């Protein structure tokens, strides 16, 4: 195989690829604020870099990334796309790839926003529900955090959510020309510390009535000027390589086993019944599962 990049292949090359391999990775990112030291394309690189490392381990190809979804940030350079629009685009991409003969479609998010991710998973579930031709198509949403938990640096008292140690380390390792550590700044100390402990602290939610039935108005807090939620000052290129490899190596092994099992069950017709999706509501220290 000449390249792992589908976008660099010709029709003939893709046709030949599909004769022996029906797996493809579809990365997606977002264009959003990442402080003064990282570019607004950070989450696109955060999708592409691991996706290509995973592709090398699986021997498969990577589709051109979908570079827009919902951020929630509102600093200059951020481009917000409604989750419904993003999900419709991704569902169309999945259907197009499946129609060409791809049977294993691996979606790799570079952006951790739950607004897009949660709606994407449900949109894909409903897509398979309504489109019977997708019944034999393996669709997986792969997240780095499902296979790796970054050890906390003892110097870090909070979490490293956004534009911090982890993301800056990845860029120092794989895209160093896009990092400007000499421009590193944080928001005011109290606000920066708050955002290290609550990833939604940048949001200002207001209500006209205070009633729980009302849909609140959400904006970014006007005092947020930089938008870093973590510890970029501790980032190193070495940690970037270690973080990616520590996640992608076990992910690749899991995916290989999943594809092998899917191939076998496509052949035999066997299916594994899973429980209906449930809504888990936290109540104190206990959990109540509500479902069918």
């Amino acid at each position: 195989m000449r390249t792992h990049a589908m976008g660099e292949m010709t029709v003939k090359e893709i046709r030949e690829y599909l004769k022996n391999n029906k797996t493809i990775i579809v990365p997606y990112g977002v264009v959003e604020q990442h402080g003064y030291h990282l570019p607004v394309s950070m989450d696109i690189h955060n999708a592409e870099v691991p996706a290509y490392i995973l592709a090398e381990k699986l021997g498969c190809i990577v589709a051109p990334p979908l570079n827009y979804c919902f951020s929630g940030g509102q600093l200059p350079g951020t481009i917000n796309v409604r989750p419904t629009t993003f999900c419709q685009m991704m569902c169309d991409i999945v259907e197009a790839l499946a129609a060409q003969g791809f049977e294993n479609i691996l979606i790799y998010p570079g952006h951790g926003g739950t607004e897009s991710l949660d709606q994407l998973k449900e949109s894909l579930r409903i897509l398979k529900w309504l489109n019977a031709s997708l019944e034999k198509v393996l669709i997986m949403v792969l997240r780095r955090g499902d296979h790796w938990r970054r050890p906390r640096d003892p110097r870090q008292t909070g979490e490293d959510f956004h534009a911090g140690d982890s993301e800056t380390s990845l860029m120092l390792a794989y895209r160093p020309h896009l990092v400007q550590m000499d421009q590193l700044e944080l928001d005011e100390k109290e606000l920066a510390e708050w955002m290290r402990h609550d990833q939604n602290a940048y949001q200002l939610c207001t209500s006209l009535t205070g009633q729980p039935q009302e849909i609140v108005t959400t904006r970014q807090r006007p005092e947020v000027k930089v938008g870093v939620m973590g510890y970029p000052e501790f980032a190193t290129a070495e940690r970037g390589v270690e973080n990616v490899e520590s996640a992608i190596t076990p992910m690749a092994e899991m995916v290989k086993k999943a594809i092998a099992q899917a191939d076998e069950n496509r052949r035999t017709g066997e299916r594994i019944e899973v429980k209906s999706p449930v809504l888990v509501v936290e109540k104190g220290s206990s959990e109540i599962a509500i479902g069918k």
Side-chain angles (χ1 to χ4, degrees), residues 156-226:
Q156 300 177 10
T157 58
E159 300 296 332
D160 192 64
F161 292 120
H162 174 81
D165 180 0
S166 180
E167 291 190 323
T168 305
S169 291
L170 181 143
M171 293 295 277
L172 286 172
Y174 298 100
R175 302 287 190 272
H177 62 289
L178 297 176
V179 183
Q180 301 182 71
M181 294 302 286
D182 61 325
Q183 298 297 311
L184 175 61
E185 289 188 35
L186 301 177
D187 282 293
E188 291 298 324
K189 185 176 180 180
E190 184 177 347
L191 176 59
E193 190 63 21
W194 184 15
M195 292 191 294
R196 287 167 171 167
H197 289 82
D198 179 3
Q199 62 184 328
N200 294 319
Y202 76 97
Q203 298 179 16
L204 175 63
C205 299
T206 59
S207 166
L208 294 171
T209 68
Q211 296 299 322
Q213 294 85 358
E214 182 185 349
I215 305 300
V216 300
T217 297
T218 305
R219 297 287 185 268
Q220 180 168 280
R221 293 184 179 277
E223 59 267 35
V224 176
K225 304 298 183 184
V226 183

Side-chain angles (χ1 to χ4, degrees), residues 60-204:
C60 69
I61 61 175
V62 179
L66 178 56
N67 289 341
Y68 299 95
C69 65
F70 183 76
S71 161
Q74 294 178 310
L75 294 180
T78 300
I79 300 176
N80 282 295
V81 171
R82 290 178 176 83
T84 49
T85 304
F86 158 72
C87 291
Q88 186 59 61
M89 281 283 291
M90 188 61 79
C91 286
D92 287 350
I93 290 169
V94 166
E95 285 188 306
L97 292 171
Q100 295 173 35
F102 288 97
E103 295 181 349
N104 308 304
I105 301 174
L106 312 175
I107 298 173
Y108 192 96
H111 174 59
T114 56
E115 297 88 355
S116 292
L117 185 61
D118 290 348
Q119 191 155 334
L120 174 61
K121 291 178 179 179
E122 187 65 2
S123 295
L124 291 169
R125 187 175 77 91
I126 292 174
L127 178 68
K128 292 196 73 174
W129 195 340
L130 297 178
N131 187 340
S133 68
L134 297 176
E135 195 265 339
K136 294 183 179 180
V137 177
L138 174 66
I139 304 172
M140 304 184 81
V141 178
L142 305 174
R143 299 187 68 191
R144 190 162 48 139
D146 292 340
H147 301 272
W148 167 77
R149 291 290 182 270
R150 178 180 54 84
R152 178 178 291 183
D153 189 303
R155 296 169 293 178
Q156 300 177 10
T157 58
E159 300 296 332
D160 192 64
F161 292 120
H162 174 81
D165 180 0
S166 180
E167 291 190 323
T168 305
S169 291
L170 181 143
M171 293 295 277
L172 286 172
Y174 298 100
R175 302 287 190 272
H177 62 289
L178 297 176
V179 183
Q180 301 182 71
M181 294 302 286
D182 61 325
Q183 298 297 311
L184 175 61
E185 289 188 35
L186 301 177
D187 282 293
E188 291 298 324
K189 185 176 180 180
E190 184 177 347
L191 176 59
E193 190 63 21
W194 184 15
M195 292 191 294
R196 287 167 171 167
H197 289 82
D198 179 3
Q199 62 184 328
N200 294 319
Y202 76 97
Q203 298 179 16
L204 175 63

Side-chain angles (χ1 to χ4, degrees), residues 135-136 257-273:
E135 195 265 339
K136 294 183 179 180
K257 292 177 182 177
I259 290 174
Q261 184 173 29
D263 286 340
E264 175 64 16
N265 289 346
R266 290 185 190 109
R267 185 184 64 81
T268 64
E270 183 179 347
R271 295 295 181 270
I272 301 169
E273 185 173 352

